[in-house]
Amino acid sequence: MTTTTLTPKLGPRPFWALAIVHARFQFLETVRIPIAVIGNLLFPSLALLFFVIPQRAVADDPGIATAAVAQLGVFAVMSTCLFSFGVGVSEDRAMPFDPFLRTLPAGAGPRLTGRVLNGVLWSYLALVPLVLLGAFLTAATLTPSQALAAVVMVPAVAVPFLLLGLAIGYRLSSKAAIAVVQATLFPLAFAGGLFMPPEAFPAWLDAISKLLPSRAARDLAVQAVTGYEAYTGALVVILAWTAVFAALAVTAYRRDEGRRFH
């Protein structure tokens, strides 16, 4: 008489469990390169430290100071998303491990979701030194409801720019992606009013600015934390650009997959 030992059949891991594994892996990859962490956290805070805090007429006015911190916060989120996704994805594609990951039966969904979770987490972390400087060295203030609105705004602002980053990352090589991200980030930031308030723009630049996702994100973020009304159509503009960037990201991913695996 023989005894048969039955081994329980292991099914596939749940989608979100796989997504969190990928997010943790990508987070650890970034942490192991300290300069990447420092660069992600430092630049927006330096902009506040050098260009806002010395101007005491700005820094000592609660409304203006809060708006300044908010618009630099939008820049921090933009920068994190474009570099993490644009440059990060293109660099991953050049690694030998990337084709192996893309052939696993789990599919692209958990991996892309993990990358999004990682990008949103770094977006929050990029705001920490900026918020601390604003709290201690300016008159910027937030009510509890405004603070909650600011927390909610972070992923809302991040989504269109992480989709743009994915489109760049899956379309271009790492060297080209760095140049394109830099050529995209800073013009969008300047024209979107992230370094200079749109009230100082000439009429023609203000009109162009209102068509950009950076300006829409900036005005919606400032509205969330100060109550200053965003321009009419800001929500429509950011939703429209989100749809465009989503289409570009899906097209770039499918193109890359078809070129490399078929």
PDB file of all heavy atoms in Angstrom, residues 147-183:
ATOM      1  N   ALA A 147      -5.058  70.994   3.772  1.00  0.00           N
ATOM      2  CA  ALA A 147      -3.994  69.991   3.804  1.00  0.00           C
ATOM      3  C   ALA A 147      -4.476  68.682   3.193  1.00  0.00           C
ATOM      4  O   ALA A 147      -3.740  68.033   2.426  1.00  0.00           O
ATOM      5  CB  ALA A 147      -3.524  69.776   5.238  1.00  0.00           C
ATOM      6  N   LEU A 148      -5.703  68.291   3.500  1.00  0.00           N
ATOM      7  CA  LEU A 148      -6.268  67.076   2.915  1.00  0.00           C
ATOM      8  C   LEU A 148      -6.413  67.229   1.403  1.00  0.00           C
ATOM      9  O   LEU A 148      -6.099  66.302   0.643  1.00  0.00           O
ATOM     10  CB  LEU A 148      -7.625  66.780   3.550  1.00  0.00           C
ATOM     11  CG  LEU A 148      -8.366  65.543   3.015  1.00  0.00           C
ATOM     12  CD1 LEU A 148      -7.535  64.280   3.238  1.00  0.00           C
ATOM     13  CD2 LEU A 148      -9.735  65.415   3.682  1.00  0.00           C
ATOM     14  N   ALA A 149      -6.854  68.391   0.952  1.00  0.00           N
ATOM     15  CA  ALA A 149      -6.985  68.642  -0.485  1.00  0.00           C
ATOM     16  C   ALA A 149      -5.620  68.562  -1.175  1.00  0.00           C
ATOM     17  O   ALA A 149      -5.503  68.044  -2.292  1.00  0.00           O
ATOM     18  CB  ALA A 149      -7.620  70.008  -0.723  1.00  0.00           C
ATOM     19  N   ALA A 150      -4.578  69.049  -0.505  1.00  0.00           N
ATOM     20  CA  ALA A 150      -3.239  68.995  -1.075  1.00  0.00           C
ATOM     21  C   ALA A 150      -2.765  67.553  -1.230  1.00  0.00           C
ATOM     22  O   ALA A 150      -2.161  67.181  -2.239  1.00  0.00           O
ATOM     23  CB  ALA A 150      -2.260  69.773  -0.196  1.00  0.00           C
ATOM     24  N   VAL A 151      -3.058  66.724  -0.226  1.00  0.00           N
ATOM     25  CA  VAL A 151      -2.678  65.305  -0.294  1.00  0.00           C
ATOM     26  C   VAL A 151      -3.381  64.619  -1.456  1.00  0.00           C
ATOM     27  O   VAL A 151      -2.779  63.835  -2.212  1.00  0.00           O
ATOM     28  CB  VAL A 151      -3.010  64.604   1.040  1.00  0.00           C
ATOM     29  CG1 VAL A 151      -2.842  63.093   0.910  1.00  0.00           C
ATOM     30  CG2 VAL A 151      -2.118  65.135   2.158  1.00  0.00           C
ATOM     31  N   VAL A 152      -4.658  64.938  -1.646  1.00  0.00           N
ATOM     32  CA  VAL A 152      -5.431  64.331  -2.730  1.00  0.00           C
ATOM     33  C   VAL A 152      -4.952  64.826  -4.090  1.00  0.00           C
ATOM     34  O   VAL A 152      -4.978  64.090  -5.085  1.00  0.00           O
ATOM     35  CB  VAL A 152      -6.936  64.630  -2.541  1.00  0.00           C
ATOM     36  CG1 VAL A 152      -7.745  64.171  -3.753  1.00  0.00           C
ATOM     37  CG2 VAL A 152      -7.448  63.956  -1.273  1.00  0.00           C
ATOM     38  N   MET A 153      -4.493  66.077  -4.159  1.00  0.00           N
ATOM     39  CA  MET A 153      -4.075  66.659  -5.429  1.00  0.00           C
ATOM     40  C   MET A 153      -2.810  66.021  -5.986  1.00  0.00           C
ATOM     41  O   MET A 153      -2.581  66.039  -7.199  1.00  0.00           O
ATOM     42  CB  MET A 153      -3.825  68.158  -5.269  1.00  0.00           C
ATOM     43  CG  MET A 153      -5.066  69.020  -5.332  1.00  0.00           C
ATOM     44  SD  MET A 153      -5.937  68.894  -6.916  1.00  0.00           S
ATOM     45  CE  MET A 153      -4.677  69.475  -8.053  1.00  0.00           C
ATOM     46  N   VAL A 154      -1.970  65.454  -5.118  1.00  0.00           N
ATOM     47  CA  VAL A 154      -0.682  64.933  -5.586  1.00  0.00           C
ATOM     48  C   VAL A 154      -0.845  63.861  -6.665  1.00  0.00           C
ATOM     49  O   VAL A 154      -0.297  63.989  -7.764  1.00  0.00           O
ATOM     50  CB  VAL A 154       0.174  64.421  -4.406  1.00  0.00           C
ATOM     51  CG1 VAL A 154       1.417  63.688  -4.914  1.00  0.00           C
ATOM     52  CG2 VAL A 154       0.586  65.589  -3.524  1.00  0.00           C
ATOM     53  N   PRO A 155      -1.594  62.759  -6.421  1.00  0.00           N
ATOM     54  CA  PRO A 155      -1.758  61.788  -7.504  1.00  0.00           C
ATOM     55  C   PRO A 155      -2.519  62.347  -8.696  1.00  0.00           C
ATOM     56  O   PRO A 155      -2.266  61.963  -9.836  1.00  0.00           O
ATOM     57  CB  PRO A 155      -2.523  60.627  -6.843  1.00  0.00           C
ATOM     58  CG  PRO A 155      -3.102  61.187  -5.608  1.00  0.00           C
ATOM     59  CD  PRO A 155      -2.214  62.290  -5.166  1.00  0.00           C
ATOM     60  N   ALA A 156      -3.463  63.290  -8.449  1.00  0.00           N
ATOM     61  CA  ALA A 156      -4.202  63.885  -9.564  1.00  0.00           C
ATOM     62  C   ALA A 156      -3.276  64.665 -10.488  1.00  0.00           C
ATOM     63  O   ALA A 156      -3.419  64.621 -11.712  1.00  0.00           O
ATOM     64  CB  ALA A 156      -5.307  64.803  -9.022  1.00  0.00           C
ATOM     65  N   VAL A 157      -2.309  65.369  -9.906  1.00  0.00           N
ATOM     66  CA  VAL A 157      -1.325  66.104 -10.706  1.00  0.00           C
ATOM     67  C   VAL A 157      -0.327  65.142 -11.335  1.00  0.00           C
ATOM     68  O   VAL A 157       0.126  65.339 -12.479  1.00  0.00           O
ATOM     69  CB  VAL A 157      -0.596  67.140  -9.822  1.00  0.00           C
ATOM     70  CG1 VAL A 157       0.600  67.733 -10.544  1.00  0.00           C
ATOM     71  CG2 VAL A 157      -1.560  68.247  -9.407  1.00  0.00           C
ATOM     72  N   ALA A 158       0.009  64.074 -10.617  1.00  0.00           N
ATOM     73  CA  ALA A 158       1.045  63.150 -11.101  1.00  0.00           C
ATOM     74  C   ALA A 158       0.600  62.356 -12.328  1.00  0.00           C
ATOM     75  O   ALA A 158       1.413  62.100 -13.226  1.00  0.00           O
ATOM     76  CB  ALA A 158       1.445  62.191  -9.977  1.00  0.00           C
ATOM     77  N   VAL A 159      -0.673  61.974 -12.392  1.00  0.00           N
ATOM     78  CA  VAL A 159      -1.123  61.043 -13.436  1.00  0.00           C
ATOM     79  C   VAL A 159      -0.797  61.498 -14.854  1.00  0.00           C
ATOM     80  O   VAL A 159      -0.201  60.750 -15.631  1.00  0.00           O
ATOM     81  CB  VAL A 159      -2.631  60.748 -13.280  1.00  0.00           C
ATOM     82  CG1 VAL A 159      -3.188  60.063 -14.520  1.00  0.00           C
ATOM     83  CG2 VAL A 159      -2.851  59.855 -12.065  1.00  0.00           C
ATOM     84  N   PRO A 160      -1.151  62.734 -15.272  1.00  0.00           N
ATOM     85  CA  PRO A 160      -0.838  63.102 -16.658  1.00  0.00           C
ATOM     86  C   PRO A 160       0.652  63.093 -16.964  1.00  0.00           C
ATOM     87  O   PRO A 160       1.072  62.692 -18.056  1.00  0.00           O
ATOM     88  CB  PRO A 160      -1.434  64.505 -16.808  1.00  0.00           C
ATOM     89  CG  PRO A 160      -1.655  64.995 -15.432  1.00  0.00           C
ATOM     90  CD  PRO A 160      -1.889  63.804 -14.581  1.00  0.00           C
ATOM     91  N   PHE A 161       1.467  63.496 -15.995  1.00  0.00           N
ATOM     92  CA  PHE A 161       2.898  63.587 -16.265  1.00  0.00           C
ATOM     93  C   PHE A 161       3.593  62.226 -16.199  1.00  0.00           C
ATOM     94  O   PHE A 161       4.575  61.992 -16.900  1.00  0.00           O
ATOM     95  CB  PHE A 161       3.539  64.602 -15.315  1.00  0.00           C
ATOM     96  CG  PHE A 161       2.978  65.976 -15.492  1.00  0.00           C
ATOM     97  CD1 PHE A 161       2.104  66.513 -14.554  1.00  0.00           C
ATOM     98  CD2 PHE A 161       3.262  66.713 -16.626  1.00  0.00           C
ATOM     99  CE1 PHE A 161       1.542  67.762 -14.737  1.00  0.00           C
ATOM    100  CE2 PHE A 161       2.704  67.968 -16.822  1.00  0.00           C
ATOM    101  CZ  PHE A 161       1.844  68.492 -15.870  1.00  0.00           C
ATOM    102  N   LEU A 162       3.070  61.317 -15.382  1.00  0.00           N
ATOM    103  CA  LEU A 162       3.647  59.980 -15.403  1.00  0.00           C
ATOM    104  C   LEU A 162       3.279  59.268 -16.705  1.00  0.00           C
ATOM    105  O   LEU A 162       4.064  58.487 -17.245  1.00  0.00           O
ATOM    106  CB  LEU A 162       3.238  59.173 -14.172  1.00  0.00           C
ATOM    107  CG  LEU A 162       1.800  58.698 -13.976  1.00  0.00           C
ATOM    108  CD1 LEU A 162       1.500  57.396 -14.701  1.00  0.00           C
ATOM    109  CD2 LEU A 162       1.538  58.524 -12.476  1.00  0.00           C
ATOM    110  N   LEU A 163       2.086  59.557 -17.253  1.00  0.00           N
ATOM    111  CA  LEU A 163       1.721  58.995 -18.553  1.00  0.00           C
ATOM    112  C   LEU A 163       2.619  59.556 -19.658  1.00  0.00           C
ATOM    113  O   LEU A 163       3.055  58.820 -20.556  1.00  0.00           O
ATOM    114  CB  LEU A 163       0.254  59.310 -18.864  1.00  0.00           C
ATOM    115  CG  LEU A 163      -0.772  58.554 -18.019  1.00  0.00           C
ATOM    116  CD1 LEU A 163      -2.170  59.123 -18.254  1.00  0.00           C
ATOM    117  CD2 LEU A 163      -0.753  57.063 -18.342  1.00  0.00           C
ATOM    118  N   LEU A 164       2.911  60.855 -19.592  1.00  0.00           N
ATOM    119  CA  LEU A 164       3.848  61.445 -20.552  1.00  0.00           C
ATOM    120  C   LEU A 164       5.224  60.813 -20.398  1.00  0.00           C
ATOM    121  O   LEU A 164       5.910  60.517 -21.391  1.00  0.00           O
ATOM    122  CB  LEU A 164       3.923  62.956 -20.335  1.00  0.00           C
ATOM    123  CG  LEU A 164       4.942  63.710 -21.201  1.00  0.00           C
ATOM    124  CD1 LEU A 164       4.664  63.508 -22.691  1.00  0.00           C
ATOM    125  CD2 LEU A 164       4.952  65.190 -20.847  1.00  0.00           C
ATOM    126  N   GLY A 165       5.654  60.592 -19.145  1.00  0.00           N
ATOM    127  CA  GLY A 165       6.936  59.935 -18.908  1.00  0.00           C
ATOM    128  C   GLY A 165       6.977  58.539 -19.498  1.00  0.00           C
ATOM    129  O   GLY A 165       7.965  58.133 -20.112  1.00  0.00           O
ATOM    130  N   LEU A 166       5.892  57.771 -19.341  1.00  0.00           N
ATOM    131  CA  LEU A 166       5.831  56.430 -19.927  1.00  0.00           C
ATOM    132  C   LEU A 166       5.935  56.489 -21.453  1.00  0.00           C
ATOM    133  O   LEU A 166       6.609  55.664 -22.070  1.00  0.00           O
ATOM    134  CB  LEU A 166       4.532  55.744 -19.518  1.00  0.00           C
ATOM    135  CG  LEU A 166       4.427  55.255 -18.076  1.00  0.00           C
ATOM    136  CD1 LEU A 166       3.021  54.748 -17.790  1.00  0.00           C
ATOM    137  CD2 LEU A 166       5.448  54.156 -17.790  1.00  0.00           C
ATOM    138  N   ALA A 167       5.251  57.461 -22.047  1.00  0.00           N
ATOM    139  CA  ALA A 167       5.305  57.603 -23.504  1.00  0.00           C
ATOM    140  C   ALA A 167       6.731  57.866 -23.968  1.00  0.00           C
ATOM    141  O   ALA A 167       7.191  57.293 -24.968  1.00  0.00           O
ATOM    142  CB  ALA A 167       4.377  58.727 -23.959  1.00  0.00           C
ATOM    143  N   ILE A 168       7.442  58.718 -23.241  1.00  0.00           N
ATOM    144  CA  ILE A 168       8.837  59.013 -23.596  1.00  0.00           C
ATOM    145  C   ILE A 168       9.718  57.795 -23.346  1.00  0.00           C
ATOM    146  O   ILE A 168      10.554  57.423 -24.173  1.00  0.00           O
ATOM    147  CB  ILE A 168       9.338  60.222 -22.779  1.00  0.00           C
ATOM    148  CG1 ILE A 168       8.591  61.491 -23.198  1.00  0.00           C
ATOM    149  CG2 ILE A 168      10.849  60.405 -22.959  1.00  0.00           C
ATOM    150  CD1 ILE A 168       8.860  62.691 -22.304  1.00  0.00           C
ATOM    151  N   GLY A 169       9.535  57.161 -22.187  1.00  0.00           N
ATOM    152  CA  GLY A 169      10.399  56.048 -21.811  1.00  0.00           C
ATOM    153  C   GLY A 169      10.290  54.857 -22.734  1.00  0.00           C
ATOM    154  O   GLY A 169      11.283  54.198 -23.032  1.00  0.00           O
ATOM    155  N   TYR A 170       9.076  54.541 -23.195  1.00  0.00           N
ATOM    156  CA  TYR A 170       8.890  53.390 -24.074  1.00  0.00           C
ATOM    157  C   TYR A 170       9.159  53.712 -25.545  1.00  0.00           C
ATOM    158  O   TYR A 170       9.231  52.815 -26.369  1.00  0.00           O
ATOM    159  CB  TYR A 170       7.477  52.826 -23.920  1.00  0.00           C
ATOM    160  CG  TYR A 170       7.316  51.971 -22.692  1.00  0.00           C
ATOM    161  CD1 TYR A 170       6.459  52.334 -21.661  1.00  0.00           C
ATOM    162  CD2 TYR A 170       8.050  50.797 -22.539  1.00  0.00           C
ATOM    163  CE1 TYR A 170       6.330  51.551 -20.524  1.00  0.00           C
ATOM    164  CE2 TYR A 170       7.935  50.016 -21.407  1.00  0.00           C
ATOM    165  CZ  TYR A 170       7.069  50.402 -20.413  1.00  0.00           C
ATOM    166  OH  TYR A 170       6.951  49.620 -19.275  1.00  0.00           O
ATOM    167  N   ARG A 171       9.313  54.984 -25.833  1.00  0.00           N
ATOM    168  CA  ARG A 171       9.521  55.377 -27.224  1.00  0.00           C
ATOM    169  C   ARG A 171      10.998  55.612 -27.550  1.00  0.00           C
ATOM    170  O   ARG A 171      11.440  55.373 -28.680  1.00  0.00           O
ATOM    171  CB  ARG A 171       8.744  56.672 -27.499  1.00  0.00           C
ATOM    172  CG  ARG A 171       8.709  57.105 -28.950  1.00  0.00           C
ATOM    173  CD  ARG A 171       7.681  56.337 -29.716  1.00  0.00           C
ATOM    174  NE  ARG A 171       7.608  56.756 -31.108  1.00  0.00           N
ATOM    175  CZ  ARG A 171       6.722  56.306 -31.970  1.00  0.00           C
ATOM    176  NH1 ARG A 171       5.815  55.420 -31.580  1.00  0.00           N
ATOM    177  NH2 ARG A 171       6.708  56.715 -33.210  1.00  0.00           N
ATOM    178  N   LEU A 172      11.777  56.069 -26.560  1.00  0.00           N
ATOM    179  CA  LEU A 172      13.129  56.548 -26.840  1.00  0.00           C
ATOM    180  C   LEU A 172      14.168  55.764 -26.062  1.00  0.00           C
ATOM    181  O   LEU A 172      13.880  55.144 -25.041  1.00  0.00           O
ATOM    182  CB  LEU A 172      13.234  58.034 -26.468  1.00  0.00           C
ATOM    183  CG  LEU A 172      12.273  58.986 -27.187  1.00  0.00           C
ATOM    184  CD1 LEU A 172      12.384  60.378 -26.588  1.00  0.00           C
ATOM    185  CD2 LEU A 172      12.534  59.018 -28.678  1.00  0.00           C
ATOM    186  N   SER A 173      15.415  55.845 -26.535  1.00  0.00           N
ATOM    187  CA  SER A 173      16.543  55.276 -25.805  1.00  0.00           C
ATOM    188  C   SER A 173      16.831  56.145 -24.585  1.00  0.00           C
ATOM    189  O   SER A 173      16.333  57.268 -24.466  1.00  0.00           O
ATOM    190  CB  SER A 173      17.779  55.227 -26.704  1.00  0.00           C
ATOM    191  OG  SER A 173      18.207  56.544 -27.018  1.00  0.00           O
ATOM    192  N   SER A 174      17.664  55.631 -23.681  1.00  0.00           N
ATOM    193  CA  SER A 174      17.923  56.355 -22.434  1.00  0.00           C
ATOM    194  C   SER A 174      18.582  57.712 -22.684  1.00  0.00           C
ATOM    195  O   SER A 174      18.228  58.713 -22.056  1.00  0.00           O
ATOM    196  CB  SER A 174      18.784  55.507 -21.497  1.00  0.00           C
ATOM    197  OG  SER A 174      20.003  55.165 -22.117  1.00  0.00           O
ATOM    198  N   LYS A 175      19.539  57.776 -23.606  1.00  0.00           N
ATOM    199  CA  LYS A 175      20.207  59.054 -23.883  1.00  0.00           C
ATOM    200  C   LYS A 175      19.235  60.062 -24.474  1.00  0.00           C
ATOM    201  O   LYS A 175      19.229  61.241 -24.104  1.00  0.00           O
ATOM    202  CB  LYS A 175      21.387  58.834 -24.824  1.00  0.00           C
ATOM    203  CG  LYS A 175      22.553  58.097 -24.182  1.00  0.00           C
ATOM    204  CD  LYS A 175      23.717  57.953 -25.142  1.00  0.00           C
ATOM    205  CE  LYS A 175      24.883  57.224 -24.473  1.00  0.00           C
ATOM    206  NZ  LYS A 175      26.026  57.061 -25.407  1.00  0.00           N
ATOM    207  N   ALA A 176      18.422  59.613 -25.401  1.00  0.00           N
ATOM    208  CA  ALA A 176      17.435  60.512 -25.999  1.00  0.00           C
ATOM    209  C   ALA A 176      16.378  60.912 -24.984  1.00  0.00           C
ATOM    210  O   ALA A 176      15.921  62.064 -24.966  1.00  0.00           O
ATOM    211  CB  ALA A 176      16.789  59.846 -27.207  1.00  0.00           C
ATOM    212  N   ALA A 177      15.991  59.989 -24.110  1.00  0.00           N
ATOM    213  CA  ALA A 177      14.942  60.276 -23.127  1.00  0.00           C
ATOM    214  C   ALA A 177      15.377  61.379 -22.165  1.00  0.00           C
ATOM    215  O   ALA A 177      14.572  62.255 -21.813  1.00  0.00           O
ATOM    216  CB  ALA A 177      14.588  59.014 -22.356  1.00  0.00           C
ATOM    217  N   ILE A 178      16.635  61.372 -21.731  1.00  0.00           N
ATOM    218  CA  ILE A 178      17.133  62.415 -20.822  1.00  0.00           C
ATOM    219  C   ILE A 178      16.998  63.785 -21.470  1.00  0.00           C
ATOM    220  O   ILE A 178      16.506  64.748 -20.855  1.00  0.00           O
ATOM    221  CB  ILE A 178      18.597  62.136 -20.431  1.00  0.00           C
ATOM    222  CG1 ILE A 178      18.683  60.881 -19.566  1.00  0.00           C
ATOM    223  CG2 ILE A 178      19.181  63.327 -19.680  1.00  0.00           C
ATOM    224  CD1 ILE A 178      20.108  60.433 -19.284  1.00  0.00           C
ATOM    225  N   ALA A 179      17.421  63.881 -22.724  1.00  0.00           N
ATOM    226  CA  ALA A 179      17.348  65.165 -23.424  1.00  0.00           C
ATOM    227  C   ALA A 179      15.903  65.616 -23.614  1.00  0.00           C
ATOM    228  O   ALA A 179      15.572  66.786 -23.402  1.00  0.00           O
ATOM    229  CB  ALA A 179      18.053  65.050 -24.778  1.00  0.00           C
ATOM    230  N   VAL A 180      15.031  64.679 -23.995  1.00  0.00           N
ATOM    231  CA  VAL A 180      13.633  65.039 -24.235  1.00  0.00           C
ATOM    232  C   VAL A 180      12.940  65.431 -22.933  1.00  0.00           C
ATOM    233  O   VAL A 180      12.152  66.385 -22.902  1.00  0.00           O
ATOM    234  CB  VAL A 180      12.892  63.879 -24.932  1.00  0.00           C
ATOM    235  CG1 VAL A 180      11.388  64.122 -24.965  1.00  0.00           C
ATOM    236  CG2 VAL A 180      13.421  63.698 -26.350  1.00  0.00           C
ATOM    237  N   VAL A 181      13.219  64.717 -21.844  1.00  0.00           N
ATOM    238  CA  VAL A 181      12.612  65.066 -20.550  1.00  0.00           C
ATOM    239  C   VAL A 181      13.032  66.469 -20.125  1.00  0.00           C
ATOM    240  O   VAL A 181      12.196  67.278 -19.698  1.00  0.00           O
ATOM    241  CB  VAL A 181      13.002  64.031 -19.478  1.00  0.00           C
ATOM    242  CG1 VAL A 181      12.709  64.564 -18.080  1.00  0.00           C
ATOM    243  CG2 VAL A 181      12.234  62.734 -19.701  1.00  0.00           C
ATOM    244  N   GLN A 182      14.310  66.780 -20.261  1.00  0.00           N
ATOM    245  CA  GLN A 182      14.777  68.115 -19.884  1.00  0.00           C
ATOM    246  C   GLN A 182      14.168  69.187 -20.780  1.00  0.00           C
ATOM    247  O   GLN A 182      13.773  70.261 -20.308  1.00  0.00           O
ATOM    248  CB  GLN A 182      16.306  68.168 -19.953  1.00  0.00           C
ATOM    249  CG  GLN A 182      16.981  67.345 -18.873  1.00  0.00           C
ATOM    250  CD  GLN A 182      18.484  67.297 -19.029  1.00  0.00           C
ATOM    251  OE1 GLN A 182      19.016  67.460 -20.141  1.00  0.00           O
ATOM    252  NE2 GLN A 182      19.195  67.057 -17.944  1.00  0.00           N
ATOM    253  N   ALA A 183      14.083  68.882 -22.082  1.00  0.00           N
ATOM    254  CA  ALA A 183      13.519  69.846 -23.028  1.00  0.00           C
ATOM    255  C   ALA A 183      12.012  69.994 -22.854  1.00  0.00           C
ATOM    256  O   ALA A 183      11.434  70.979 -23.315  1.00  0.00           O
ATOM    257  CB  ALA A 183      13.833  69.420 -24.462  1.00  0.00           C
TER     258      ALA A 183
END
